[in-house]
Amino acid sequence: MTFIGNKSDLKVVGTRPVRPDGVDKVTGRATFGADYTMPGMLMGRVKRSPHAHARIVSIDASKALALPGVKGVVTAADFPDIPSEEAFVGEGPMNFRDLSLNCIARGKVLYEGHAVAAVCAISDEVAAAACDLIDVTYEVLPHVIDVEAAMAPDAPLLHADMFTANVTPKPEKPSNIAKKVHFTVGDVAAGFAQADVIVEGHYSTQPVHQAYIEPHACIASAGADGQCHIISSSQGHFMIRAYVAKLLGMEMSNLKVTPAEIGGGFGGKTVVYLEPLALAMARKTGRPVKMVMTREDVFRATGPTSGAVIDVKLGATKDGIITAAQAVLKYQAGAFAGSPVQPGCMCAFAMYDLKNVDVVGYDVVSNRPKVAAYRAPGAPIASFAAESAVDDLARKLGMDPIALREKNAAKAGTKTAYGVTFAEIGYEQVLAAAKNHPHWKAPLGPNQGRGIATGFWFNIGGESSASVFINEDGSVNVVSGSPDIGGSRASMAMMAAEVLGIPVEHVRPIVADTASIGFTHVTGGSRVTYATGMATVQAAENVIEQLKTRAAMIWDIPPEAVEWKDGQAVPAGANAGGFDPLPLAAIALKAAKTGGPIGAEVSLNAQGAGPGFGAHICDVEVDKETGHVTVLRYTAVQDVGRAIHPSYVEGQIQGGAVQGIGWALNEEYVYNTKGLMDNAGFLDYRVPVASDLPMIEAVMVEVPNPRHPFGVRGVGEVPIVPPMAAVANAIRGALGIRMHALPMSPPKLRAAVDSGVG
Amino acid sequence: MSSLSYAAPATVDEAIGLLAGASGLAKVLSGGTDLLVQLRSGRTRPALIVDTKKIPGIIGIREVDGGFVIGAATSGAMIGEHAALAAVYPGVVEATNLIGSTQVQGRASLAGNLCNASPAADSVPAMIAAGATAVIAGPKGRRTVPVEQVVTGPGRTSLARDEFIVEFHLPKRAPRSADAYLRFIPRTEMDIAVVGAGVNVTLDAAGVCTAARVSLGAVAPTALLVADCAAALVGSKLDEHALAKLDLAARDACKPIDDKRGTIDFRIKVAGVLARRAAAIAFERAAARS
Ligand SMILES: Cc1cc2nc3c(=O)[nH]c(=O)nc-3n(C[C@H](O)[C@H](O)[C@H](O)COP(=O)(O)OP(=O)(O)OC[C@H]3O[C@@H](n4cnc5c(N)ncnc54)[C@H](O)[C@@H]3O)c2cc1C
C-alpha cells in the first residue's frame, strides 16, 4: 500500500498530536539511564588515565580492595583479549578489539581519561575513594594531539601494528595513518585547465562533542545461571547486546538489554563504554552494578567527532559551470582507527553534478578519545570547507551563490563521485525554496552579513522490527526495537493509526527490550522513521488483513468480500451483503471466537532510503572590536520527504542548526602541552545557550521518497551539515574576511580583523 | 573516608570561634555557588563548613548616611530588586546581576564572589570602581578595608583563617555620579568574564569629569584599580582624545594569561574596548543624575 500523493486524504500523518512520551518527560516521571535501581545494587566507578600516552607498568588494587565496602575491581585482565575483527554494529565501522581496548586499556593508555580499571562498592563515595587507592604505575610516552603532527614520519606512534590501509605497496613502517581513501571521477587536471576561475583554501575544524544532556549510565546484573540483564541509555539496545556479548565472550541469548529513556545521543550513544565494565563486575561480585559518568568523564572519554584539516580547490568557467573539484581531508580518529573521513569524502561535493572530482581522505589516530558518530558523521566537516569554497567561487565569479548552486545542482540521474546515481532528490526544490524565502532578500545593516550553505546526507534504511497488537478492547499497541530519541514513538503510533484508520490516541507505542522484539539496528543514520516506520506500516497492514478475515468470519462471507475503510470492516460491495460496518473494537471483542489474538510482527531490511538536502541562510552581526558574532536570523530549508509529525521534524532541523552554530562559533577542545584537556565541562566547552540564538525558522520542503509508504526521508542529520559554512559565509559577508579555522571564536575573529586574514 | 562538619552559628562571635577552633581546613559558606561546586569536584576538601546565613544582618541592604550597607551574604536577586541601590550604583548592581543565571542569582553573594578570589569575578571590578569597602570581623574586632585590598592572588585573600566579611559599604554619592560595568564573554550568559571593566565617574555641572575610578577584571591575577585610566578621564568630557588615552592606559595595565578563555593579545585589546564602552555608559548615567 502506498499513500504518497494523497496528502489531503491523510488524517493522522502530518498532524501534530502530543507525543506519547511527552507528559512523562515534562513531569520528571520518565526513567533515564541513571534512574534505575536494583536490589543489592553496587555503584561502580572508573579509574582513568591521567596521561595522554603511557605504558601501564603495573596496576595494584590491593589497597582499594582492602577499603571497607569495596566489592570488586576489574582490569583488562578480567576481559578476553579478543582478536581484531571488523564489526558493523553501531553507526560506523568499529573493530571489536579496538572497542575492547577502548573500554579498558591493555598495556597502554592512549588518551587522558582512558579507562584502566573499574571498581564497585556499596556506595558511590566508597567507589570514588577506592578509585583513588588503585595504584597504577605508568611509563609516560611522548604524545601527539594534532592531526598533521600525528601524520609526520617521526610522530609518536600509537599502535605498532598500524600500517596505512588502501595504499599499495603496503607501507614498510607503521604510522598513525590508519587508512587512505580516494574517490575520483573524470580528470581534475583537465577540469582545472578548462576553468576560468579557480579558488583554493586550507581549512581546519576542531573536534566537537555531541553534548547530549544525559551522561552515559547503566545498570547490569548477572544471574548465577549466567543470564544477564543490562538497562542502559543508548541509541540501540541490540547494539549494546552485540558489543557486550562479544567483549565478555557471552552468548547473546544470555543477555537481555532493556532500553532506558535516552537524554540525547546525536550518534554518541552508538558505542559502549560502561556496560561491559558494569556487567563484568556484576558477574564477578554476583550483585547488580550501576555506573554513571560525570560530565567530565563524558568529555574526557567519550565522543566527540573528528577535528580535521582540509584543502579544497574548485574551478569553474566564467558562466559558473564547476569544471573540477578537488579536496584532501585529514580526519582525527582519536586513539583508534575509524574517523568518518570516508563519508566526509563522499559528501563533500555530493550536492553537485560534476564531471571531474578527486577527493583523498586520511584516517589518522592521535592521543585523544576515540571519535564516535555525530549527526551526519564526517559530512559537516567536509562541507564547511567545500561550501566555504563554493561561496568564494560565487564571489569571484560575481554570481549569486544560489544561482551558482542551481547551475551545478545534482538531480535525479546525477551520478555521484562515489558511484551512486541519485533517484528522486529534492536539492533543486530546496534551493528554489531558499531563493524565494523573504529572508534571502531582507535588508542588512552595518557590520552585518548573510551567508548560505547547503548540505547532503545519505540517510539509511536497514534492519528493523515492529509489531502491532490489537488489544481486547480495540486499543492498539505498537512495539518496536528503536530507542526513541527524536519523537519516533509518536511517528510510529501515527503511521499505525493512519493505516488502521483510527485516532492516534488509541495507539500506544513502546520500545521493547532485546528479548521481546526482533533485531533492530541502532537509532542512527536518520533511519528510524523510514525503516522502523516501514516495518510498523507493514505490520499494521498485516493486521488489517486479519481484521478483514475476522469480519468475513463474523459475516460468513469470503475475506475478499471485505474492505477496510476508516477503521472499520465494510462489505466490499452490494454483492457482499448488506452488513453494518464492523469497527475495529467490535472485531477485537470477538477475537477469541474468530481465531484468537490479533497481531503481527514484521522484521525487514529496508532499502531505498532517500537522501536529504538542506540549505541554510544565516545573518550575523560582527562586533569588530571584540570579535563577538551575533546570529541575527537563521532559516533552515530542508527536503524532508514527508513530515509524519511536523513538530518533530522541525525540532530536528532546529536542533541540527543550533549544534552547527555552536560548532561554528565556540565549541572546541582545549589541550595543554601535556596533552590533557583543559575544558572538560560545559562552562568552558561552549555550546550555545538559548539567549545566543534567534528562533531558527525551519522550512520543510516535501519531495516524497517513493520507496516509503508515506514518502519519508530521514531528517535528523542533514540539518547539521550546512551551518558551519553558512555562518562562515555570513561572517565573510560582514567582514570581507574568509575565516578558515573553526571555531570562529572572538579571539580568532578579532585577530582576523586586525590582520585582515582569517 | 574523610568527614565534613557543618555549623550554622547565630552570631559573628560564634562564627569566629568556630573558624579559630577548627582542626582542619574551615570554609565560610555564603550562597555556596562556588564552594559547593568545588566540594563536588574535589578541588577543596574542608573539615568544617561555617554557614553565615543565620547571622542576623548578614543578609539585607540598608541605607546609612546616604550610602549603602550590603550584608555579605545578600543574594544577587535581592541586590537586583533594590530600586534605590540600582538607581545610585547601577554598575555594582548590573555586575552582580551578571553572575550566573536566575538560579545562581538566588544564592550568589558579594562576599562569596570576592573571597572566591577569581580574577574574573564580575562584581569585584564594579565594587572597586565604586569605592566599596569590606567590613571584616575577627577575634580582635572589626576592620574596614577597601575591596581592592581583600584579594591577594588567584584563590587567595588577605583574610586570616578566623576572619570573615560581614558587610560591604558603598559611600554616599556626590551629585552627577554614576558607575557602569561591562564584561566580555563569548556567549551571552552562563560564562566567565574574559575581561571585565568597571568605571565610576563624577561630573561637574558642565559635564566635565572631576573624579573617576576604573577597575579591570580577568586581565591580571587580581582585579586592578588603574590610576592611569582614571587620570585619562578626569578633566575630560569623554572626547576622542580621552577615550584613546583610556584605551591605552587600560591596555598598558593588563598582565593577562593565555588560557582556555582567551589569549593575552585578545584580552589586552578587549580591556581597552570595554573600558571605553563602560566609561561612555557611566558618563551618560552620571549626566542624567544632575
Ligand atoms: C552556574 C554558575 C555560573 C556562575 N557565573 C558566574 C559569573 O557569571 N560571574 C561570576 O563572577 N561568578 C560566577 N559564578 C561563581 C559564583 O556564583 C560567584 O562567585 C558567587 O558570587 C559566589 O557567591 P556565593 O555566596 O555563592 O559564594 P560561596 O560559594 O558561598 O563562597 C565562595 C568563597 O568565598 C568564601 N566566602 C563566602 N562568604 C564569605 C565571607 N562572608 N567571608 C569570607 N569568605 C567568604 C567561601 O569560603 C568560598 O571560598 C558562577 C557559578 C555557577 C555555579
Side-chain angles (χ1 to χ4, degrees):
Chain A
M1 205 192 292
T2 286
F3 304 87
I4 297 171
N6 317 326
K7 190 176 174 186
S8 56
D9 296 344
L10 299 173
K11 294 199 172 65
V12 183
V13 165
T15 64
R16 300 173 187 247
V18 169
R19 63 195 289 166
D21 50 315
V23 172
D24 273 1
K25 282 182 176 158
V26 299
T27 56
R29 186 168 163 265
T31 42
F32 292 87
D35 291 328
Y36 289 87
T37 54
M38 287 187 187
M41 177 180 92
L42 302 173
M43 293 300 297
R45 281 254 182 171
V46 176
K47 172 87 175 174
R48 298 187 181 278
S49 167
H51 304 296
H53 195 192
R55 198 174 310 287
I56 301 172
V57 177
S58 65
I59 304 175
D60 178 359
S62 54
K63 273 186 262 163
L65 285 164
L67 185 70
V70 173
K71 299 296 175 187
V73 171
V74 291
T75 65
D78 295 276
F79 294 80
D81 189 358
I82 61 177
S84 174
E85 182 191 338
E86 288 305 323
F88 289 90
V89 175
E91 203 173 337
M94 172 65 93
N95 185 298
F96 279 126
R97 179 174 167 76
D98 290 348
L99 181 69
S100 173
L101 293 176
N102 195 37
C103 285
I104 191 129
R106 191 180 290 274
K108 255 184 30 157
V109 288
L110 296 164
Y111 55 93
E112 183 208 13
H114 200 164
V116 287
V119 53
C120 58
I122 51 166
S123 73
D124 198 37
E125 290 70 29
V126 176
C131 251
D132 292 344
L133 292 175
I134 300 175
D135 268 331
V136 186
T137 309
Y138 295 99
E139 176 198 333
V140 177
L141 301 169
H143 66 271
V144 59
I145 296 292
D146 291 328
V147 63
E148 287 189 311
M151 293 174 81
D154 56 349
L157 200 60
L158 272 75
H159 305 280
D161 59 350
M162 182 171 280
F163 295 86
T164 310
N166 289 348
V167 262
T168 40
K170 182 184 166 179
E172 280 167 17
K173 279 176 47 191
S175 76
N176 292 322
I177 306 171
K179 185 173 79 171
K180 179 181 176 183
V181 294
H182 191 189
F183 295 101
T184 187
V185 285
D187 177 351
V188 278
F192 284 119
Q194 287 163 25
D196 300 310
V197 167
I198 287 176
V199 294
E200 284 181 82
H202 180 72
Y203 295 88
S204 66
T205 75
Q206 292 296 313
V208 290
H209 199 273
Q210 296 81 349
Y212 29 80
I213 211 71
E214 179 200 25
H216 299 260
C218 70
I219 183 165
S221 75
D225 58 356
Q227 291 194 61
C228 299
H229 185 201
I230 291 174
I231 307 174
S232 81
S233 157
S234 83
Q235 288 176 247
H237 38 305
F238 290 90
M239 171 274 300
I240 302 274
R241 184 180 69 173
Y243 280 149
V244 173
K246 190 75 179 188
L247 265 48
L248 298 187
M250 301 172 61
E251 210 173 83
M252 286 189 189
S253 59
N254 281 332
L255 176 57
K256 181 173 87 171
V257 183
T258 300
E261 285 294 344
I262 172 171
F266 310 109
K269 289 180 184 162
T270 57
V271 280
V272 291
Y273 300 102
L274 297 177
E275 288 85 353
L277 307 180
L279 188 56
M281 291 194 287
R283 295 213 292 185
K284 201 164 178 174
T285 60
R287 290 173 65 172
V289 176
K290 175 169 168 175
M291 299 183 84
V292 182
M293 281 195 194
T294 62
R295 179 62 57 186
E296 202 180 322
D297 291 341
V298 172
F299 274 113
R300 292 197 202 282
T302 76
T305 190
S306 307
V309 170
I310 301 173
D311 288 284
V312 190
K313 185 175 173 186
L314 295 175
T317 60
K318 283 197 295 289
D319 48 359
I321 303 294
I322 299 175
T323 54
Q326 191 172 29
V328 178
L329 303 89
K330 299 161 184 164
Y331 277 35
Q332 295 162 357
F336 298 94
S339 74
V341 69
Q342 181 148 339
C345 290
M346 293 158 88
C347 292
F349 303 118
M351 288 83 80
Y352 305 110
D353 186 356
L354 303 174
K355 299 247 162 14
N356 305 301
V357 182
D358 190 78
V359 185
V360 174
Y362 296 96
D363 181 27
V364 184
V365 297
S366 64
N367 297 109
R368 295 168 172 269
K370 164 80 174 80
V371 301
Y374 184 16
R375 296 176 95 153
I381 301 164
S383 282
F384 163 62
E387 289 290 286
S388 294
V390 170
D391 196 66
D392 280 349
L393 190 62
R395 287 174 188 280
K396 212 160 169 179
L397 288 164
M399 258 179 104
D400 174 85
I402 296 184
L404 174 62
R405 288 178 170 89
E406 283 177 326
K407 204 147 211 176
N408 296 281
K411 44 186 92 59
T414 298
K415 188 163 191 240
T416 60
Y418 58 89
V420 163
T421 300
F422 286 133
E424 297 78 1
I425 58 169
Y427 187 50
E428 290 183 300
Q429 291 88 330
V430 163
L431 288 174
K435 190 167 65 179
N436 295 325
H437 194 282
H439 184 173
W440 185 239
K441 301 215 171 63
L444 287 169
N447 298 318
Q448 297 181 358
R450 175 168 300 140
I452 186 165
T454 63
F456 159 83
W457 184 246
F458 316 92
N459 299 325
I460 60 167
E463 294 161 276
S464 277
S465 301
S467 55
V468 174
F469 299 112
I470 308 296
N471 300 322
E472 301 93 295
D473 61 357
S475 62
V476 177
N477 284 118
V478 171
V479 183
S480 89
S482 295
D484 178 356
I485 310 190
S488 60
R489 267 169 297 193
S491 298
M492 297 309 133
M494 290 171 73
M495 286 187 271
E498 185 73 58
V499 174
L500 292 169
I502 59 172
V504 70
E505 291 71 27
H506 294 311
V507 183
R508 272 285 143 192
I510 68 147
V511 184
D513 65 63
T514 52
S516 308
I517 186 81
F519 177 81
T520 301
H521 190 58
V522 291
T523 296
S526 298
R527 60 176 292 280
V528 170
T529 313
Y530 183 73
T532 310
M534 195 182 277
T536 302
V537 167
Q538 289 184 14
E541 287 170 344
N542 180 311
V543 162
I544 288 176
E545 289 312 308
Q546 295 178 42
L547 290 164
K548 282 162 42 180
T549 306
R550 304 301 176 94
M553 284 172 76
I554 294 167
W555 287 332
D556 198 18
I557 62 174
E560 310 82 69
V562 180
E563 270 183 9
W564 191 258
K565 260 186 96 175
D566 297 332
Q568 315 186 97
V570 293
N575 291 346
F579 304 103
D580 285 343
L582 266 178
L584 191 153
I587 303 173
L589 201 62
K590 295 205 172 119
K593 294 199 183 100
T594 55
I598 302 168
E601 176 165 337
V602 169
S603 291
L604 48 69
N605 188 349
Q607 304 298 317
F613 293 84
H616 291 196
I617 308 170
C618 172
D619 292 357
V620 299
E621 182 169 318
V622 184
D623 181 336
K624 288 185 183 161
E625 288 192 316
T626 64
H628 192 274
V629 173
T630 305
V631 179
L632 299 169
R633 186 172 180 182
Y634 201 101
T635 305
V637 185
Q638 189 173 321
D639 170 18
V640 303
R642 177 154 291 159
I644 301 297
H645 193 307
S647 298
Y648 305 145
V649 173
E650 288 161 357
Q652 291 290 326
I653 294 174
Q654 291 165 332
V658 168
Q659 287 180 312
I661 290 169
W663 197 336
L665 292 179
N666 280 308
E667 291 179 40
E668 65 182 317
Y669 280 55
V670 181
Y671 278 93
N672 63 26
T673 52
K674 291 185 183 137
L676 313 179
M677 187 183 179
D678 269 348
N679 61 332
F682 278 137
L683 185 55
D684 289 300
Y685 180 88
R686 293 189 180 80
V687 299
V689 296
S691 55
D692 291 340
L693 299 158
M695 186 64 190
I696 309 283
E697 187 182 344
V699 178
M700 297 182 288
V701 173
E702 294 195 323
V703 179
N705 173 11
R707 283 162 306 280
H708 185 278
F710 292 109
V712 163
R713 290 176 198 275
V715 299
E717 292 174 288
V718 175
I720 202 171
V721 183
M724 284 73 81
V727 175
N729 295 343
I731 291 172
R732 168 70 183 75
L735 285 184
I737 299 171
R738 167 62 57 200
M739 296 300 293
H740 291 94
L742 297 184
M744 297 173 283
S745 57
K748 271 200 210 126
L749 273 193
R750 170 75 208 234
V753 168
D754 290 343
S755 68
V757 217
Chain B
M1 305 217 45
S2 56
S3 73
L4 171 60
S5 309
Y6 169 88
T11 66
V12 170
D13 287 346
E14 207 185 318
I16 292 166
L18 283 162
L19 291 170
S23 51
L25 176 65
K27 291 296 267 182
V28 177
L29 174 74
S30 289
T33 61
D34 277 316
L35 189 58
L36 266 59
V37 176
Q38 289 161 13
L39 276 181
R40 194 181 148 98
S41 74
R43 228 174 78 199
T44 181
R45 296 178 195 272
L48 172 67
I49 286 180
V50 179
D51 186 346
T52 61
K53 291 194 293 297
K54 296 270 183 336
I55 299 173
I58 203 137
I59 295 175
I61 301 166
R62 289 175 286 140
E63 285 190 63
V64 178
D65 301 335
F68 293 88
V69 174
I70 306 175
T74 309
S75 71
M78 288 177 73
I79 291 171
E81 283 163 10
H82 200 283
L85 179 64
V88 180
Y89 281 103
V92 170
V93 173
E94 72 194 346
T96 307
N97 288 160
L98 280 174
I99 296 171
S101 57
T102 303
Q103 294 90 329
V104 172
Q105 281 288 309
R107 288 266 150 181
S109 69
L110 293 179
N113 199 222
L114 179 62
C115 295
N116 186 54
S118 157
D122 281 306
S123 72
V124 175
M127 283 200 284
I128 293 174
T133 51
V135 176
I136 299 168
K140 291 186 218 111
R142 297 186 175 205
R143 60 192 179 102
T144 299
V145 292
V147 165
E148 58 269 28
Q149 287 175 18
V150 173
V151 178
T152 55
R156 291 200 318 271
T157 69
S158 57
L159 272 64
R161 54 166 294 170
D162 48 7
E163 288 185 317
F164 70 103
I165 296 177
V166 288
E167 60 196 30
F168 293 93
H169 290 187
L170 285 167
K172 178 172 166 30
R173 283 291 208 186
R176 288 178 299 278
S177 297
D179 60 342
Y181 176 79
L182 289 176
R183 69 170 180 186
F184 181 80
I185 54 170
R187 289 186 288 208
T188 47
E189 59 181 329
M190 297 305 288
D191 229 325
I192 300 295
V194 179
V195 178
V199 177
N200 183 32
V201 294
T202 301
L203 309 183
D204 66 14
V208 175
C209 179
T210 56
R213 284 169 70 90
V214 177
S215 175
L216 299 174
V219 290
T222 62
L224 304 172
L225 175 62
V226 189
D228 287 351
C229 284
L233 295 177
V234 173
S236 89
K237 288 186 168 184
L238 203 66
D239 49 33
E240 298 253 319
H241 179 66
L243 284 170
K245 265 173 69 184
L246 172 66
D247 189 318
L248 185 65
R251 282 185 279 139
D252 278 350
C254 295
K255 294 182 279 294
I257 53 165
D258 267 326
D259 73 358
K260 58 197 173 188
R261 296 186 184 138
T263 58
I264 290 173
D265 181 53
F266 180 70
R267 284 191 151 115
I268 290 174
K269 285 173 177 160
V270 173
V273 174
L274 292 196
R276 277 193 277 114
R277 293 182 182 180
I281 298 169
F283 268 68
E284 204 181 293
R285 286 177 178 163
R289 287 185 59 80
S290 42

